[in-house]
Each structure stands twice: as C-alpha cells, then as structure tokens.
Amino acid sequence: MMHDRRSLAPAAELPLETKRLRLRLHDADDAGWLHELYSRPDVARYLLDEPWTEDVTRDKLAERLARTGLDEDRGALALVIEHEGVAIGDVALWLTDHEHRQGEIGWVLDPAHGGRGLATEAVRAVLTLGFEHYTLHRVTAQMDARNSASAALARRVGFRLEAHHVQDWFSKGEWTDTLIYALLASEYVGAGRSAGTSGPLG
C-alpha cells in the first residue's frame, strides 16, 4: 500500500563513539551513579523531578533500560554518557510524533564535568543519530528558562528559540518559565560531524 510516511531506520549500532565519549545503553549496574547524580539538589533544581530517592532511582532506571531505540515500541532512546570509562551523565531522544518523524531531546551532565564541551559533544552525536539514522524531520528541547547552561548548549548545536512560556510550570514551590528550542533536519546540515563522531555515523 502506498503512503507518504517514511519508515524509521533499522536499529542503530550502539554504543556511539565520539572523540572523547562513549554513549551506551543503560544497564542494571547504573543505579549507583544515577542516584548519586539525580539525588543532588543542584542537579534537580531545573528538572521536573524532585531529587531522586533510591526507590525513584530504581523506577527511573527500569524506564531507561526499556528505551533502546526510536524504532522500538517505546519510541525512545536513553544513553549513558561515559568519559574515560566513567559515567558522567545521560542523554535521551524520544519520538513525539512517529508518523511525521518529530522528536525531543534532553540531557543531564554531572556539574563536575561541565565547561569542557562534553555535553555538547554528546548532544551533537545523538542529534546526528536522530537526523541521519532515524531520518527525523524536527527535534525540540524544552528547559527551565533559568537553566542558562542548557540554553547555551542548545544554541551551540544549532537550536532556535521558538517560544518563551512565562510562568507556565509550577516547580518546587514556585512558578517557572519554559524555553522551547527547535531544530530542523534541513538546518542541522551534518553539524554533528564537528563533534568527531565515528562508528556507525562515520
């Protein structure tokens, strides 16, 4: 039967390798560092969740273990960011519109590893995977407007600010603003190559 929808690509070859990073699927041993990172109030400050308890960590890890690719039932991919063999954060890409190939991306990095371009490198690699392997048309990123570091990262990888929602989310006892960034495949133009991506992305 003829239709306009383009199928998603076969499963991606993982892990992804960049110049300095290894991006892999989660495994059962990730609970320790995930709890250590996400239980920190400074990390949770701009996230939707409160700092994680051990019970929440178990639930969140179970969710991540099931997110193995956009071509899978969940339409989501969750990857651990490793630098020199140490997990330093994670990045996720998920479908928001399967038929029209639209997705959303999110990331968290251990503040101890900030300021070195590692999160930028990881996000570029995952965007390249999304646009080149999964043939996504559009990817968005949403964040607390106070999160200047994430906003700067979004701009570095080519996102455009499309909306600033004022006091639209009540988070941790206060009204907060939300920034909506977006990037089209036609705008990306292989910018992810600048991160030195190798392996299945060339």
Side-chain angles (χ1 to χ4, degrees):
M1 180 175 68
M2 297 296 292
H3 52 70
D4 294 332
R5 173 178 169 180
R6 285 196 291 169
S7 298
L8 293 174
E13 295 180 29
L14 298 171
L16 301 179
E17 304 283 345
T18 72
K19 183 177 180 180
R20 298 179 292 173
L21 303 174
R22 179 175 180 263
L23 304 175
R24 63 164 175 83
L25 295 173
H26 287 72
D27 61 43
D29 295 328
D30 287 326
W33 72 264
L34 279 171
H35 181 258
E36 183 177 349
L37 178 61
Y38 281 91
S39 65
R40 293 175 50 169
D42 60 330
V43 171
R45 181 184 180 193
Y46 300 132
L47 302 179
L48 299 182
D49 296 329
E50 296 288 342
W52 290 5
T53 64
E54 291 186 358
D55 287 342
V56 169
T57 300
R58 284 193 291 270
D59 292 341
K60 295 291 188 179
L61 176 56
E63 293 173 2
R64 283 162 164 73
L65 289 171
R67 295 171 179 169
T68 58
L70 302 193
D71 50 318
E72 303 297 332
D73 289 342
R74 292 180 181 268
L77 178 66
L79 296 174
V80 175
I81 304 170
E82 287 188 343
H83 175 59
E84 297 180 345
V86 177
I88 62 171
D90 56 3
V91 58
L93 180 68
W94 61 97
L95 291 173
T96 57
D97 184 333
H98 190 291
E99 182 175 3
H100 298 104
R101 306 186 323 281
Q102 299 190 68
E104 185 173 340
I105 192 170
W107 56 83
V108 171
L109 188 77
D110 185 333
H113 296 274
R116 302 164 57 191
L118 296 174
T120 301
E121 189 170 321
V123 170
R124 281 188 174 134
V126 175
L127 285 172
T128 299
L129 181 72
F131 286 126
E132 297 188 6
H133 180 79
Y134 289 115
T135 64
L136 294 180
H137 167 67
R138 170 183 162 94
V139 175
T140 59
Q142 301 188 42
M143 64 200 66
D144 189 309
R146 300 169 298 175
N147 193 344
S148 57
S150 276
L153 189 162
R155 293 191 296 269
R156 278 196 300 274
V157 299
F159 278 95
R160 290 172 289 98
L161 179 62
E162 285 198 337
H164 182 158
H165 296 167
V166 178
Q167 294 191 13
D168 67 320
W169 191 262
F170 194 76
S171 177
K172 302 177 179 68
E174 62 183 317
W175 285 105
T176 61
D177 294 7
T178 302
L179 301 180
I180 311 293
Y181 284 88
L183 181 62
L184 298 176
S186 59
E187 297 169 323
Y188 191 63
V189 194
R193 300 287 185 184
S194 65
T197 305
S198 60
L201 303 180

